[in-house]
Amino acid sequence: MSEANTAEGLDFIRAIIRDDVAAGTHGGKVVTRFPPEPNGFLHIGHAKSICLNFGAAAENDGVTHLRFDDTNPTTEDKRYVEAMKEDIRWLGFDWGENLFHASDYFHQLYGYAEQLIESGKAYVDSSTEEEIRTLRGSVTSPGQVSPYRDRSLKENLDLFRRMRACEFSDGTHVLRAKIDMASPNMLMRDPLLYRIRRAHHYRTGDEWCIYPLYDFAHGLSDSIEGITHSLCTLEFENNREVYDWILDNLDVPSPRPRQYEFARLNLAYTVVSKRRLLPLIEAGLVNGWDDPRMPTLAALRRRGVPPSAIRAFCDMIGVAKVENRVDLGKLEYAIRTDLNPMAPRVMCVLRPLKLVLTNYAAGETEELEAPYFPSDIGKEGSRSVPFGRELLIERDDFSEDPPKGFHRLAPGREVRLRYGYIVRCVDVVKSKDGEIQEIHCTYDPDTRGGSAPDGRKIKGTIHWVSALHALPAEVRLYDRLFLKENPDAIGEDEDFRDGVNPESLIVLAGARIEPSVAADPPDTHYQFERQGYFYRDPVDSAPDALIFNRTVTLRDSWAKKTPSTLTAGDSPAPKAPSPGSAQTAPRVHRPEDAEAEARFNRYTSEFGLPEADAGVLAQEADLSDYFERALTGSAPPRPIANWIINDLPRVLEGRSLSEFPVEPADLAHLVQMVEAGALNMRSGREVLDVMASTGGSPDAIVEAQGLRQISDRATLEPIIVELVDAHPDEAAAYRSGKHGLIGFFVGQVMRSTGGKADPEVVQELLRSHLG
RNA sequence: AGCCCCCUGGUGUAAUGGCAGCACAGCGGCCUUUGGAGCCGCUGGUCCAGGUUCGAACCCUGGGGGGGCUACCA
């Protein structure tokens, strides 16, 4: 099973889902959705999302809906819908009955909009697009309210109904949520809900002339379908506030869906965005959505990448919230690993060079038996390969002046013809201008099949085809589409399309392939021996005009050692040393007003608090107040300050001090208990958690949960002895110097005592036991 | 400049207060009728500074860096 399925190492989304299932949120159900907008082709980035949505649901016995997010009629098309369905099925996922369209909900969505108007939370704005933009303000300045914001409920409803009735022309009115024009989140500045658009929708035709916008439609569609976990990419983080607002201000079923964001996939030397892909097609730089150089699923399929390889790749890259750029090598690895056991080996000569066996009878031919798989694959099957006096070998497999370490054919040298004979080069025939025309060799008749009876070692083995029998073929070699690792990293006035790799496609029209392939099913994934994995082009290939796409090369550890192969030159620039260490001393919050300053001074002088701590506490009046009220107990100021600074923010969970249920005196009492050793720090924090969430006095909680610290050596001793005995390997490692393991042992003791042991005593005992 | 999010080997990702692990890439070796596959080994990391803690990648504070947001797109 994949890494993602092991108990530990769940990605953060799966961890959330696991916790929700355990807690019984949504009745333990999991319903996810994949919501593409049908305005382009699905690509490898979508594959990540598809694998996540379908995978995480299936792992929890949940279901995944396929929903076309078709709220913008001007860009969407049925053709894309069909292509997307095909691609998802091909990838290996099944939405069953759960095929939906946002356009299915246009009536319900409209109803929700009226509901919002009726509750005074939405209004019709008749400003122009330009005015709306201006009034929205900027990231640093608040927006201003529209003059239409305070229209009466009745007028809003009337206007909205007339919008729907197509009484107005495009752009004259919009429906907006009434939220907050001064919100620091631009998206909350009265987001648009509906716009007038006289456009033909590919599904609803001309029924509507108003269409909902993403922020309004998406969350509600999720709610309508009973989605539990709505997973989207990072750029929607700010939209979540709107998502929540819409669902919280409308009468929707509870519990409602929650949105979580993860990082989209970025691939090195690739663009993964519909906004980037379409221009490539329009400029004729590639041949459509399924050009095998494209990162679309259709292109990958055409190139010969199996869906299982893409799934394996998605498993490998994980899911997180960090902007990433994945090495192409990782995709290639996934493809090779997947193809290796499934692809039959055949021989194809890409750039042929004639090789004549001078001691082989002219006109004679023979058939050689060649297994389809090497023995380590463990698969049966073979074909016969015709052999004769005139053969074709790869031009690269002969070198007149071989570099050191080259162990293919060279003048006077021997090489093995795969599945055939060992041959020795005796002559090189050149044209007048010095170009090599053909190679003359003698073959050793005793080495049929490739092994030498005298036991001599032949280092090199090369592939070949019979000149007489080989089939002509066109072979298309693909390479990265872009020259730069990040094709998007360009200047303002540059076009990312200028970064296209001119050698991303190399067509070899004169290749020759062994005749056996003519009888194979057209969708066979081959390994052309010593070259790579290839796949018959499903669009352009014909039985009498074979065309093969190179899916991916074989790993070539020889090519890497020879810098002459042009692959160098794109080595990533060494990272600049991190400038992040400005060595600035932590800044102390120096209070600005006189009162705060007085407090600050008192805290530093009277209580001896460090300036940084005093600054934090003195800064705000309510925090100071809380601190000082806690001081009236018996606990000393320093630990109280520490607790307030370090532990309070965590349990406050966004609440203000005024609505915080823990009385300063109770906190002080808790601190005092920890100071006195009645509780250890860890238990103390646990108690604070309880106090902050469900309330109660520290004493009662300590009693109820039995959290009193165990400092008694006689009690701890046997636990430690037992534990050390139970972990002999770790104990030995500790004794041989791996003292970091003390943490492991302390952790074990803490666990077995329910966190109640006195860690200092434990550590002391452990040290003496482990010696 | 305001708000939000994020920083773990070259890359991608685990570890959620207790041994910093895995994968890819790289390097070395073994094996090999594919310079493939496989096997073994090695290199290399918690952005910085302070604090809390017996113990910090993880909690707190500050700094640095990256990304997102100012569409009647999604």
Side-chain angles (χ1 to χ4, degrees):
Chain A
M1 270 279 103
S2 70
E3 192 68 19
N5 289 338
T6 57
E8 256 177 312
L10 284 185
D11 61 65
F12 78 101
I13 301 264
R14 279 181 236 255
I16 288 168
I17 292 177
R18 175 247 282 143
D19 292 345
D20 280 342
V21 169
T25 325
H26 309 284
K29 286 205 187 325
V30 177
V31 184
T32 58
R33 102 268 94 110
F34 176 64
E37 183 192 10
N39 69 348
F41 272 58
L42 259 21
H43 52 67
I44 184 111
H46 290 114
K48 173 176 178 177
S49 175
I50 294 169
C51 289
L52 207 216
N53 275 293
F54 280 88
E59 287 153 24
N60 292 284
D61 302 314
V63 295
T64 302
H65 296 186
L66 171 59
R67 177 168 76 232
F68 289 99
D69 208 351
D70 50 2
T71 57
N72 185 0
T74 56
T75 58
E76 294 152 8
D77 197 296
K78 181 168 170 51
R79 135 170 206 249
Y80 295 126
V81 170
E82 294 311 315
M84 285 176 169
K85 288 202 256 186
E86 183 189 353
D87 289 345
I88 297 166
R89 256 186 243 112
W90 173 75
L91 233 202
F93 297 100
D94 182 9
W95 54 88
E97 302 292 293
N98 299 304
L99 173 64
F100 303 100
H101 302 79
S103 54
D104 291 339
Y105 312 134
F106 280 172
H107 285 96
Q108 282 172 86
L109 259 16
Y110 178 85
Y112 278 124
E114 286 205 351
Q115 197 185 121
L116 226 37
I117 294 171
E118 277 162 6
S119 59
K121 290 169 181 165
Y123 63 98
V124 172
D125 193 343
S126 308
S127 306
T128 64
E129 196 170 338
E130 186 53 40
E131 286 164 346
I132 290 175
R133 207 194 317 279
T134 308
L135 290 177
R136 185 149 34 218
S138 74
V139 289
T140 46
S141 59
Q144 295 167 297
V145 298
S146 159
Y148 304 97
R149 200 176 199 251
D150 291 318
R151 283 216 254 237
S152 73
L153 209 148
K154 205 170 146 234
E155 189 184 2
N156 278 322
L157 205 52
D158 175 61
L159 248 17
F160 186 53
R161 287 180 176 160
R162 289 167 58 197
M163 280 168 65
R164 183 200 178 166
C166 302
E167 289 185 25
F168 307 115
S169 54
D170 289 13
T172 50
H173 307 279
V174 291
L175 184 73
R176 301 179 73 172
K178 195 186 280 188
I179 306 182
D180 178 9
M181 286 308 292
S183 171
N185 179 356
M186 297 294 295
L187 296 172
M188 288 291 275
R189 322 249 257 227
D190 289 8
L192 274 58
L193 271 21
Y194 268 92
R195 80 285 216 186
I196 302 172
R197 194 91 113 200
R198 276 186 180 66
H200 186 83
H201 188 280
Y202 78 99
R203 291 188 78 245
T204 60
D206 298 317
E207 184 186 350
W208 296 87
C209 60
I210 58 171
Y211 292 94
L213 282 120
Y214 170 85
D215 281 318
F216 185 66
H218 202 88
L220 286 170
S221 299
D222 284 344
S223 169
I224 290 166
E225 291 178 21
I227 300 299
T228 57
H229 302 264
S230 183
L231 315 178
C232 63
T233 45
L234 251 28
E235 65 267 29
F236 290 96
E237 258 165 350
N238 293 329
N239 296 70
R240 186 177 61 236
E241 202 175 349
V242 184
Y243 184 102
D244 290 342
W245 187 92
I246 295 283
L247 293 181
D248 288 340
N249 284 281
L250 247 11
D251 183 20
V252 299
S254 182
R256 65 169 178 84
R258 297 278 161 183
Q259 174 183 307
Y260 302 96
E261 310 87 21
F262 63 94
R264 67 160 358 119
L265 164 69
N266 293 295
L267 256 191
Y269 303 100
T270 310
V271 290
V272 185
S273 143
K274 280 179 285 196
R275 284 160 193 74
R276 291 303 202 197
L277 265 18
L278 193 55
L280 291 173
I281 298 169
E282 285 169 343
L285 291 165
V286 297
N287 239 316
W289 288 104
D290 68 344
D291 183 303
R293 291 169 290 178
M294 294 281 270
T296 58
L297 297 181
L300 261 10
R301 174 171 60 229
R302 180 172 173 187
R303 183 158 164 169
V305 177
S308 44
I310 296 175
R311 280 185 257 123
F313 172 69
C314 289
D315 263 353
M316 237 188 296
I317 58 174
V319 178
K321 296 187 76 157
V322 202
E323 290 284 341
N324 57 76
R325 184 168 308 280
V326 177
D327 275 354
L328 236 30
K330 211 157 238 167
L331 214 211
E332 293 183 352
Y333 171 84
I335 298 170
R336 292 189 190 109
T337 306
D338 197 63
L339 248 16
N340 177 41
M342 93 165 62
R345 274 60 170 174
V346 296
M347 293 193 287
C348 176
V349 175
L350 269 29
R351 298 173 178 89
L353 172 63
K354 193 168 177 186
L355 182 150
V356 179
L357 264 19
T358 54
N359 60 340
Y360 197 93
E364 192 91 353
T365 63
E366 63 183 299
E367 295 288 328
L368 298 169
E369 198 67 7
Y372 274 126
F373 294 95
S375 59
D376 56 283
I377 303 291
K379 275 189 180 169
E380 298 295 310
S382 66
R383 80 286 186 188
S384 76
V385 187
F387 186 84
R389 178 181 162 91
E390 294 197 351
L391 306 174
L392 266 12
I393 65 166
E394 210 66 63
R395 284 203 102 86
D396 284 354
D397 284 341
F398 175 80
S399 172
E400 220 183 346
D401 180 22
K404 192 169 163 7
F406 184 88
H407 44 253
R408 283 112 86 171
L409 200 59
R413 291 210 198 169
E414 275 195 319
V415 78
R416 174 169 32 242
L417 298 176
R418 177 125 239 227
Y419 312 119
Y421 295 89
I422 295 169
V423 301
R424 179 184 300 277
C425 173
V426 294
D427 201 8
V428 180
V429 180
K430 293 185 186 176
S431 65
K432 278 194 283 290
D433 53 356
E435 205 195 333
I436 296 172
Q437 295 295 77
E438 55 184 64
I439 307 295
H440 287 186
C441 291
T442 56
Y443 85 108
D444 179 348
D446 293 336
T447 57
R448 192 177 202 264
S451 52
D454 62 0
R456 89 189 106 118
K457 284 268 177 269
I458 303 295
K459 198 87 168 135
T461 301
I462 64 173
H463 61 278
W464 53 275
V465 292
S466 160
L468 192 62
H469 304 88
L471 271 17
E474 175 179 316
V475 172
R476 297 173 179 175
L477 305 180
Y478 302 105
D479 198 357
R480 53 191 61 158
L481 223 202
F482 287 89
L483 263 1
K484 289 202 300 195
E485 188 170 301
N486 179 5
D488 274 326
I490 49 167
E492 193 76 356
D493 49 354
E494 287 180 86
D495 187 332
F496 79 99
R497 292 175 293 193
D498 294 340
V500 166
N501 176 8
E503 294 178 7
S504 57
L505 168 62
I506 293 174
V507 177
L508 268 19
R512 293 288 183 278
I513 190 165
E514 61 170 85
S516 72
V517 299
D520 293 330
D523 61 348
T524 305
H525 295 272
Y526 294 103
Q527 184 191 109
F528 289 178
E529 295 223 29
R530 306 206 309 128
Q531 300 283 358
Y533 295 95
F534 290 80
Y535 188 68
R536 204 179 295 188
D537 189 281
V539 178
D540 294 338
S541 188
D544 56 348
L546 296 172
I547 299 175
F548 292 93
N549 293 322
R550 183 172 70 193
T551 310
V552 65
T553 63
L554 247 29
R555 266 189 67 206
D556 188 351
S557 48
W558 165 251
K560 264 184 305 223
K561 289 181 190 171
T562 56
S564 60
T565 48
L566 305 175
T567 49
D570 61 80
S571 54
K575 243 188 194 172
S578 168
S581 47
Q583 302 293 28
T584 47
R587 201 178 73 206
V588 174
H589 281 285
R590 291 257 174 205
E592 282 133 34
D593 61 292
E595 282 179 33
E597 196 179 336
R599 291 194 292 263
F600 176 85
N601 291 335
R602 199 151 55 83
Y603 296 166
T604 50
S605 60
E606 196 175 318
F607 304 140
L609 296 184
E611 291 197 342
D613 292 356
V616 173
L617 292 174
Q619 189 65 34
E620 282 168 28
D622 57 344
L623 195 64
S624 295
D625 183 56
Y626 194 91
F627 172 57
E628 290 183 25
R629 282 163 62 205
L631 245 29
T632 56
S634 52
R638 188 72 189 269
I640 288 185
N642 281 338
W643 277 78
I644 290 177
I645 292 167
N646 292 308
D647 293 286
L648 224 50
R650 176 172 43 89
V651 295
L652 222 39
E653 287 175 326
R655 291 174 287 191
S656 76
L657 243 21
S658 58
E659 50 188 352
F660 188 56
V662 179
E663 286 301 316
D666 283 336
L667 176 68
H669 184 57
L670 174 64
V671 173
Q672 178 53 33
M673 281 196 282
V674 173
E675 287 300 300
L679 293 190
N680 64 24
M681 191 72 201
R682 179 198 195 99
S683 302
R685 278 202 271 250
E686 244 174 81
V687 173
L688 181 62
D689 284 350
V690 177
M691 288 163 70
S693 58
T694 56
S697 81
D699 287 315
I701 296 165
V702 170
E703 278 327 305
Q705 312 214 358
L707 290 173
R708 290 209 159 266
Q709 176 159 252
I710 306 169
S711 305
D712 177 37
R713 279 152 208 271
T715 312
L716 292 172
E717 193 106 37
I719 298 172
I720 285 165
V721 171
E722 190 185 340
L723 193 91
V724 170
D725 286 348
H727 295 92
D729 293 349
E730 284 83 358
Y734 179 89
R735 290 189 179 107
S736 65
K738 199 174 176 185
H739 290 142
L741 280 167
I742 194 74
F744 163 77
F745 284 108
V746 174
Q748 292 294 317
V749 176
M750 296 308 283
R751 193 157 307 159
S752 70
T753 55
K756 290 179 290 187
D758 181 331
E760 275 175 283
V761 176
V762 168
Q763 222 167 109
E764 185 194 322
L765 291 171
L766 273 168
R767 285 219 168 82
S768 72
H769 269 278
L770 290 164

